[in-house]
Amino acid sequence: MSEYKLSATLEEHEDDGLVISGGKDTIIEARPVGKPPEDNAEALMIGHAHNICALDVSPKGNFIVSGSWDSTARIWHIGKWGSSVILEGHEGSVWAVLAYEFDMIITGRPISVR
């Protein structure tokens, strides 16, 4: 089975920004840009029960949205690093997330691929 990891970049954070990444290990990492992989991440966000397949950073850089095979999307506040909101009720994996504004999060999945 192939390894995969997806990422988003938070540019409005202290020095050079953060790289936010997640994948099949169900953990989302926040790591300063340029920090080597063997160094500890700034934050680990744990909460999804299955692969993380979508990430987005809000336009103001104050929260992250993640989507997972566990049929949930989650909102994570930058700096607090905890999941403040769990968006449930999806009928399958959440393959796409868009952090449009704090009061408008768009999530989705393909119905069929042709």
Side-chain angles (χ1 to χ4, degrees):
M1 190 179 263
S2 65
E3 297 288 322
Y4 74 89
K5 199 156 221 167
L6 56 107
S7 65
T9 304
L10 173 62
E11 296 175 1
E12 305 293 326
H13 186 270
E14 296 175 3
D15 302 318
D16 294 329
L18 291 174
V19 173
I20 311 297
S21 64
K24 74 178 198 174
D25 63 2
T26 74
I27 298 170
I28 300 169
E29 294 183 5
R31 182 177 298 282
V33 172
K35 190 170 189 178
E38 59 273 5
D39 288 356
N40 290 333
E42 181 170 316
L44 298 175
M45 292 159 270
I46 300 170
H48 282 294
H50 215 303
N51 297 7
I52 297 160
C53 49
L55 288 171
D56 194 25
V57 177
S58 69
K60 292 182 182 177
N62 57 341
F63 67 92
I64 300 163
V65 180
S66 60
S68 171
W69 286 7
D70 66 8
S71 302
T72 67
R74 291 177 178 255
I75 299 174
W76 311 83
H77 283 277
I78 304 296
K80 294 181 181 176
W81 304 117
S83 176
S84 62
V85 177
I86 301 171
L87 305 171
E88 299 176 302
H90 299 88
E91 294 180 6
S93 300
V94 180
W95 283 96
V97 294
L98 177 63
Y100 189 70
E101 294 176 359
F102 187 73
D103 59 352
M104 183 179 294
I105 305 297
I106 300 169
T107 64
R109 69 181 182 99
I111 294 174
S112 65
V113 178
R114 298 177 191 212

